[in-house]
Amino acid sequence: MSHMNRAKTALEVFAIALLDAASLVAVFKAATFLRLEVLPAFYSGFPASGPSGSVLKVWWVFLLWGFFLLYEGLYTRRFSFWDEIKALWRSAFLATAGVLVVTSLGKLSSEISRTVVLLTGVLALAFLPVTRMLGKKLLRRAGLLKRRVLVLGAGETGRLISNALKKEPNYGYAVIGYLDDDPAKVGSSIDGIKVHRGTDQAVRYLARARITDLIIAMPGAGGQRLQELINALQHKAARVLLVPDIFGMAVLGTSLQHFFQEQAIALEVRNNLARPFNQAVKRVFDYTLGVVLFVLLALPLALLAAMVKATSEGPALFAQERVGKGGRVFRCYKFRTMYRDAEERLRDILTSDPGAREEWEAHWKFRDDPRVTPLGRILRTTSLDELPQLLNVLRGDMSLVGPRPYLPREKNFLVPSGETLLSVLPGITGLWQVSGRSNTSYTYRISLDTWYVRNWNLWLDVVILLKTVSVVLRREGAN
């Protein structure tokens, strides 16, 4: 790495550390204010006096927070958006626990309130990610946190990795050119970026175009050629990324195994949800959060049920048979959004309208469904019609996050992914709902659900739940 790049990296780390420090001081001050000014008004157990909340007196708290932020790689590694939030949350948990331990062992409760420590940790869960992401966005606009990338390979894999980098600006990778040995590709462009001739010219481009990172996306080049490229370029760039042509496989929890004697590597792919412990963790998470949500939403659920009954003839709830774990059929609950004679209307539509029949066969739904009531359209657009599925979660029929609960008539369309999809509980929300929802094709939905099962971890569920809230609020792809 050149002297200029090292100086730029040092400036980036300093800017982010300064931003984190300012955020933590603000969070600590907010926590102190809540403890001294707000909580005593609601509960007499909190006296209206306590440690002053002086930052200088508890300097070691911020030092400990900094240690755990550094420990999680938040100043040395590049993360995707959600992985960075995960690392920040883990740092907040570890730092809060660490401060509580030091406070107890050092008998420092006269200097810092344990309530302030806990409130600081809770507030940091929301405040740190927001300030960090906004700050990094401003830094990227200023020209920092960016890495100039040269991609070797302008085929399908090169295009896929280009799209992937555009969707993850948090990495800071900016593709400035492509190299390829295929004369048919030379002179063309990918997203407006020109493809140049000759992967063997990569070293020349590194210095001339101030390249910091290389991505090799040439799975068809053969092992010998790839090894030559990596050996020639490994010490010329700050980072070399090799992209294999195995898109769609399980990646979360996948680890690299080394065989030193043969100088070989292998990918260990785990089936996370096949483990009884992980299944138990997911069920505890579902049930706990399901109970909390049901209690919080009990009144809105009752009001919506009354509105459904008042605006159209029929029951408030609609129970439909769906295929669950192991192929077992269960009754899935929703607020009724259609007229009572919806099935008769469907048969008439499919018989009289070939275009509608084609749309139905492709998506198993209509974009503008005439069977839906006026209130039903609002419930569907806001996804409020699915709230009664919390009952299915509490009954053990469904999960908060999982594959879509497919209809019995759709079972034949699940082949060859049916065994994977039906090995877990279906979910109220899932990966396809936050990836376009009803705008995605039926085949794509199945592929997303399959990917979710193969890649499950608890953090993935948290991410999907958070993204579901965002998608619903923006009404993306709702139908």
Side-chain angles (χ1 to χ4, degrees):
M1 186 185 294
S2 68
H3 176 73
M4 183 179 296
N5 284 334
R6 283 195 293 269
K8 181 184 177 184
T9 299
L11 178 60
E12 292 167 348
V13 171
F14 175 77
I16 295 174
L18 191 62
L19 177 66
D20 287 343
S23 300
L24 287 171
V25 169
V27 167
F28 179 76
K29 286 294 186 180
T32 302
F33 175 80
L34 289 174
R35 166 61 186 85
L36 296 179
E37 305 296 335
V38 178
L39 292 181
F42 292 93
Y43 179 53
S44 60
F46 289 107
S49 62
S52 64
S54 169
V55 173
L56 295 177
K57 281 187 177 181
V58 293
W59 57 268
W60 57 271
V61 170
F62 302 96
L63 194 64
L64 200 57
W65 270 86
F67 168 78
F68 283 111
L69 289 169
L70 183 63
Y71 174 78
E72 289 295 330
L74 284 158
Y75 302 115
T76 56
R77 293 172 52 197
R78 287 178 178 265
F79 296 90
S80 66
F81 177 84
W82 290 105
D83 282 344
E84 183 157 357
I85 291 179
K86 178 182 179 180
L88 286 168
W89 282 16
R90 192 158 49 196
S91 299
F93 174 78
L94 293 172
T96 301
V99 174
L100 286 174
V101 169
V102 172
T103 301
S104 297
L105 294 179
K107 298 180 179 179
L108 302 174
S109 56
S110 61
E111 295 183 11
I112 184 169
S113 163
R114 291 182 178 86
T115 304
V116 170
V117 174
L118 290 172
L119 286 173
T120 299
V122 171
L123 293 175
L125 293 178
F127 197 69
L128 266 185
V130 171
T131 56
R132 215 176 208 259
M133 298 308 172
L134 290 177
K136 290 179 72 173
K137 189 174 182 179
L138 293 175
L139 289 174
R140 285 195 294 271
R141 287 182 179 177
L144 297 175
L145 297 178
K146 287 188 176 181
R147 295 293 180 266
R148 295 168 65 83
V149 177
L150 181 65
V151 179
L152 275 59
E156 184 61 26
T157 303
R159 292 178 182 274
L160 286 171
I161 199 64
S162 174
N163 289 333
L165 293 181
K166 282 196 303 182
K167 293 176 181 178
E168 279 293 354
N170 209 53
Y171 281 124
Y173 290 129
V175 178
I176 57 99
Y178 294 85
L179 295 180
D180 203 286
D181 296 324
D182 185 354
K185 295 186 178 70
V186 174
S188 63
S189 64
I190 299 176
D191 296 328
I193 302 172
K194 191 175 181 180
V195 178
H196 298 271
R197 180 188 298 275
T199 55
D200 55 351
Q201 299 297 313
V203 174
R204 183 165 62 89
Y205 281 102
L206 285 176
R208 195 174 77 178
R210 293 181 289 111
I211 304 294
T212 58
D213 294 53
L214 281 167
I215 295 179
I216 302 176
M218 303 166 54
Q224 183 64 33
R225 176 58 177 156
L226 291 176
Q227 184 177 342
E228 291 173 357
L229 282 171
I230 293 172
N231 290 339
L233 300 170
Q234 183 177 0
H235 301 291
K236 305 292 185 181
R239 283 161 293 272
V240 176
L241 282 72
L242 176 64
V243 183
D245 191 14
I246 48 176
F247 291 87
M249 67 167 283
V251 291
L252 301 182
T254 299
S255 60
L256 197 65
Q257 298 290 335
H258 304 269
F259 301 96
F260 290 105
Q261 293 295 329
E262 301 298 329
Q263 301 181 38
I265 60 174
L267 291 174
E268 179 186 354
V269 182
R270 305 184 186 96
N271 184 356
N272 290 338
L273 271 179
R275 300 180 179 183
F277 177 76
N278 288 343
Q279 292 177 11
V281 168
K282 182 172 174 62
R283 183 59 192 146
V284 169
F285 175 78
D286 283 336
Y287 193 80
T288 304
L289 187 55
V291 169
V292 172
L293 290 174
F294 189 79
V295 171
L296 293 176
L297 297 173
L299 181 57
L301 285 168
L303 291 174
L304 287 173
M307 290 173 64
V308 172
K309 285 188 67 67
T311 54
S312 61
E313 185 180 349
L317 293 183
F318 173 69
Q320 188 178 41
E321 288 190 342
R322 297 285 178 136
V323 181
K325 183 178 179 181
R328 182 180 65 85
V329 175
F330 69 97
R331 292 172 67 81
C332 179
Y333 298 108
K334 286 187 175 186
F335 283 124
R336 181 176 55 81
T337 59
M338 291 187 178
Y339 295 104
R340 294 190 70 173
D341 61 345
E343 289 301 319
E344 290 80 0
R345 296 189 185 205
L346 176 61
R347 284 194 293 269
D348 293 341
I349 293 170
L350 297 182
T351 302
S352 60
D353 189 339
R357 184 170 63 251
E358 183 178 343
E359 181 184 358
W360 179 261
E361 290 174 351
H363 302 285
W364 290 99
K365 61 173 65 179
F366 299 119
R367 182 171 295 276
D368 186 17
D369 199 327
R371 302 171 298 160
V372 179
T373 66
L375 177 61
R377 293 187 189 281
I378 297 174
L379 293 177
R380 287 187 171 201
T381 301
T382 57
S383 296
L384 292 174
D385 62 314
E386 297 181 0
L387 287 180
Q389 290 173 21
L390 286 171
L391 294 171
N392 289 114
V393 173
L394 299 181
R395 284 164 51 95
D397 298 324
M398 294 180 66
S399 172
L400 291 174
V401 182
R404 177 175 173 263
Y406 289 92
L407 293 163
R409 66 168 177 261
E410 297 174 294
K411 199 170 180 179
N412 292 334
F413 293 88
L414 301 182
V415 179
S417 303
E419 185 176 353
T420 300
L421 295 177
L422 300 180
S423 65
V424 299
L425 292 173
I428 296 178
T429 186
L431 191 58
W432 79 271
Q433 287 94 329
V434 298
S435 303
R437 300 171 75 193
S438 60
N439 292 336
T440 57
S441 69
Y442 193 81
T443 302
Y444 188 53
R445 285 185 223 165
I446 293 176
S447 68
L448 288 175
D449 282 342
T450 304
W451 190 93
Y452 164 81
V453 176
R454 291 172 177 167
N455 286 272
W456 179 87
N457 63 29
L458 192 57
W459 178 246
L460 181 59
D461 278 6
V462 172
V463 169
I464 291 174
L465 287 171
L466 293 174
K467 292 188 73 173
T468 298
V469 175
S470 174
V471 167
V472 169
L473 291 177
R474 295 199 303 265
R475 299 187 182 184
E476 293 181 357
N479 187 18

